[in-house]
Amino acid sequence: MAHSGISVLFEGTNFARLMGGLWTSVWIAVVSLAIGLLLGTIFGLLRTLPSRIIRFILLLYLEFFRILPTVVLLFLVYYILPRQFNVNLPATWMAVLAFSLWVAAEFSDIVRGALESVPKHQRESGLALGLNQWQLFRYVLLPQAIQLELPATINLATRVIKTTSLLLMISVMDVINVGQQIIEANNQTHPTGIFWVYGLIFILYFIVDYPLSLWAKHLTAKEEH
Amino acid sequence: MLKINWKKIIAGAVAVAGAVALLAGSSYLKPATVNAASNSSSVSAIKKRGTLRVAVFGDLPPYGWVNKDGKRVGYDVELARRMAKDLGVKPKFIQVNANNRVDTLNSNKADIVLANFTVTPERKKVVDFAKPYMKVSVGVVSPKKKAITKVSQLKGKKVIVTKGTTAENYFTSKQPGVQLLKFDSKTQQFNALKNNRAAALADDNSYLYAWVKNNPKYTVGIKSIGPKQYISPAVKKGNKSLLNWSNKEITKLNKEDFFTKDYNSQLKPYFGSEVKPSDIVLNNK
């Protein structure tokens, strides 16, 4: 039979398990993005303040997470934290922790850049109206900065979703990990199963990531006109 | 114009160096051994918790894998279920790869490793092994058309291994003339061999027998190199409580021939008639 390999996807509970794996990946990405974007906004705002000490500390934080490969970061939180500091959470929460800190670092730089590129006269007009620092940020800078940072943020989101494929390194049952289990379990009955399983995973990631990428493209195009 | 931002580079370097120093420093302060008072993997702690956390493979039939109904099965998994039953608790499985078996114990993610863990002098320094329940040695599998039957044929050629396995260890220390191509999981290493990335693949011979049965174009040309080795449950260094219990449990299971039964139900369908139970199971009653 020419396409017998595809049946591997529908045997037993295989398809449901792959979907469960995808849910784990997406869930971790969404929760990490939510926490990371919130933290990142605060850090980004702090980095536009005049205090040199705060700026320096946050710069160290940003560079640390930007330089560190994500795999190393995952290993650090999964193996080193529990061993040295007795912090022991389930692997999914450890993944959320690592990803949130990473997203916060990357996003703080996006926010800083966006805030700084809001035209100077906007800030000055705000101050002239008698707004305080917080009001200036909330009503003048933030609304305009959000417009500027959206495409970069969506790009960051697609990167986070893609990077969840590294979670199998720390024993999280993500879609890739489940896929490998299925491939190995069915190797003798479905020798071509590997093609179909990875093929499906490819389509799943595409379905999740492509709309985001289209949206970013659309926003960028709108800005140029 | 390219402007190098030295301030940022130095800041980054300082951050990384600081973090490394901090981690290195703290590992000297706290070696990964068990403190009897706060042993979260002692027999009494496991009974109190009601679950035995076992590190197993998820992609290695017939030792530890997941069947199409999503159930974990295999030779190691059967042993894990039996041990949990005898402790009066439920098993909870933590899936690992070959090279994170030690860290899973050291970071308190699992109480015991039952993932085809071969006893070696290096590993004995970092974990405590209980009595063995299986024996193996390193074998080399290659395509039938270009079969490798002697180690000397591998000089200057590439050999595939999985990181953290005894095969990697053996080739690195004893066969420096062989180039190694290293992978993270069993899935990856066998795919690499099928894609002709190297002349041969080295791993524990028991996996290779099982794999060759389903891949008749390949042969285990070298059945055994290096010394004979044993597979044991492993616990965190210094976890006397669980170690003693495991030793007694293995002795008890040997007496009732549990491992031969386990072999017949889990391994036999994979190995075929080429291999006998006595090639794998230990007879130390």
Side-chain angles (χ1 to χ4, degrees):
Chain A
M1 271 197 318
H3 293 294
S4 60
I6 196 170
S7 61
V8 71
L9 299 178
F10 305 106
E11 222 152 86
T13 55
N14 285 357
F15 192 75
R17 280 167 57 215
L18 277 170
M19 286 302 161
L22 182 70
W23 169 244
T24 308
S25 306
V26 170
W27 181 85
I28 289 174
V30 169
V31 175
S32 312
L33 277 166
I35 300 173
L37 294 186
L38 192 71
L39 270 180
T41 310
I42 297 168
F43 291 165
L45 172 64
L46 290 176
R47 285 188 59 200
T48 60
L49 295 181
S51 162
R52 287 194 130 195
I53 300 166
I54 293 179
R55 272 185 5 222
F56 181 71
I57 292 170
L58 287 173
L59 187 67
L60 279 187
Y61 171 79
L62 167 70
E63 294 300 324
F64 181 76
F65 281 97
R66 187 181 272 170
I67 291 167
L68 217 59
T70 318
V71 180
V72 178
L73 185 61
L74 287 173
F75 278 154
L76 277 180
V77 295
Y78 189 69
Y79 292 117
I80 310 291
L81 272 189
R83 183 168 154 178
Q84 305 300 345
F85 305 105
N86 261 326
V87 184
N88 218 338
L89 294 168
T92 43
W93 283 105
M94 286 303 195
V96 167
L97 174 68
F99 276 33
S100 304
L101 290 175
W102 169 51
V103 171
E106 294 262 1
F107 192 59
S108 75
D109 212 35
I110 296 173
V111 170
R112 182 197 53 81
L115 287 175
E116 280 173 2
S117 57
V118 171
K120 211 177 172 192
H121 66 258
Q122 292 281 341
R123 177 188 286 270
E124 285 168 353
S125 316
L127 289 173
L129 283 171
L131 298 181
N132 64 25
Q133 274 291 332
W134 165 248
Q135 288 169 329
L136 184 70
F137 171 70
R138 169 70 186 78
Y139 297 105
V140 180
L141 299 179
L142 193 64
Q144 298 184 64
I146 284 177
Q147 284 292 323
L148 295 169
E149 70 204 20
L150 251 175
T153 310
I154 297 165
N155 187 305
L156 180 63
T158 50
R159 269 169 64 210
V160 170
I161 293 167
K162 273 194 296 190
T163 313
T164 57
S165 57
L166 292 176
L167 291 175
L168 92 149
M169 306 297 296
I170 61 163
S171 304
V172 172
M173 286 296 137
D174 75 324
V175 67
I176 310 262
N177 215 345
V178 174
Q180 291 204 342
Q181 287 179 344
I182 293 174
I183 291 165
E184 287 306 316
N186 296 288
N187 228 343
Q188 70 274 39
T189 48
H190 300 82
T192 58
I194 183 162
F195 172 76
W196 294 105
V197 171
Y198 276 121
L200 180 70
I201 292 173
F202 166 80
I203 294 168
L204 291 176
Y205 268 105
F206 186 81
I207 292 173
V208 175
D209 258 349
Y210 191 61
L212 283 174
S213 147
L214 267 187
W215 188 29
K217 215 175 181 179
H218 173 73
L219 286 171
T220 323
K222 219 165 72 177
E223 228 161 73
E224 275 166 8
H225 288 295
Chain B
M1 204 176 71
L2 190 75
K3 236 169 121 187
I4 299 174
N5 190 340
W6 285 107
K7 209 170 139 194
K8 272 197 174 182
I9 293 173
I10 292 168
V14 168
V16 171
V20 168
L22 189 79
L23 290 170
S26 49
S27 34
Y28 280 116
L29 293 174
K30 265 194 207 172
T33 49
V34 173
N35 174 342
S38 64
N39 180 2
S40 61
S41 295
S42 68
V43 172
S44 55
I46 291 164
K47 282 185 173 160
K48 203 174 155 199
R49 195 191 316 130
T51 50
L52 176 67
R53 299 170 305 165
V54 194
V56 292
F57 280 133
D59 65 348
L60 188 70
Y63 298 100
W65 56 292
V66 182
N67 71 11
K68 66 179 182 193
D69 301 318
K71 195 181 176 221
R72 289 192 182 274
V73 286
Y75 185 77
D76 290 340
V77 176
E78 282 304 301
L79 174 60
R81 288 190 202 279
R82 178 62 200 262
M83 285 177 110
K85 192 182 152 207
D86 289 351
L87 274 168
V89 296
K90 283 194 178 124
K92 183 174 177 236
F93 296 106
I94 313 225
Q95 186 168 319
V96 290
N97 276 329
N99 64 350
N100 53 20
R101 287 176 292 193
V102 172
D103 286 319
T104 304
L105 286 176
N106 283 343
S107 56
N108 296 322
K109 298 287 177 196
D111 303 316
I112 189 164
V113 172
L114 292 173
N116 237 265
F117 212 6
T118 314
V119 182
T120 64
E122 294 80 14
R123 287 176 183 164
K124 271 187 186 164
K125 287 179 199 154
V126 289
V127 297
D128 279 343
F129 285 105
K131 283 175 81 174
Y133 61 92
M134 221 180 105
K135 58 184 176 192
V136 285
S137 55
V138 174
V140 177
V141 66
S142 46
K144 267 188 182 154
K145 275 187 238 155
K146 289 182 188 170
I148 304 279
T149 51
K150 288 194 297 280
V151 184
S152 57
Q153 285 173 273
L154 290 171
K155 273 264 149 32
K157 287 190 182 144
K158 281 187 188 156
V159 172
I160 297 164
V161 292
T162 298
K163 286 178 203 162
T165 56
T166 36
E168 182 200 8
N169 203 336
Y170 171 77
F171 275 95
T172 312
S173 58
K174 301 279 157 52
Q175 304 289 344
V178 177
Q179 286 180 47
L180 295 184
L181 205 59
K182 301 177 184 182
F183 291 91
D184 282 313
S185 74
K186 303 286 172 200
T187 316
Q188 290 169 351
Q189 71 162 7
F190 286 122
N191 277 330
L193 181 67
K194 282 186 183 167
N195 294 334
N196 295 319
R197 301 271 200 89
L201 178 152
D203 209 332
D204 286 355
N205 57 5
S206 54
Y207 310 156
L208 301 182
Y209 293 138
W211 189 77
V212 166
K213 190 169 176 257
N214 302 316
N215 293 274
K217 281 186 197 156
Y218 296 84
T219 175
V220 185
I222 304 174
K223 289 210 156 53
S224 160
I225 46 172
K228 208 159 199 62
Q229 290 179 306
Y230 297 98
I231 292 194
S232 281
V235 298
K236 191 171 176 179
K237 194 93 194 149
N239 187 356
K240 287 273 175 327
S241 155
L242 188 57
L243 183 69
N244 292 338
W245 184 88
S246 304
N247 282 335
K248 274 183 221 148
E249 176 75 1
I250 299 233
T251 311
K252 182 183 124 191
L253 294 179
N254 261 322
K255 276 191 190 128
E256 58 178 79
D257 244 1
F258 169 83
F259 294 106
T260 310
K261 281 177 215 152
D262 195 3
Y263 176 92
N264 285 332
S265 75
Q266 301 292 329
L267 303 187
K268 205 178 175 188
Y270 281 83
F271 289 174
S273 51
E274 238 183 281
V275 190
K276 294 184 291 295
S278 58
D279 291 336
I280 301 285
V281 176
L282 288 162
N283 286 314
N284 51 355
K285 284 187 188 179

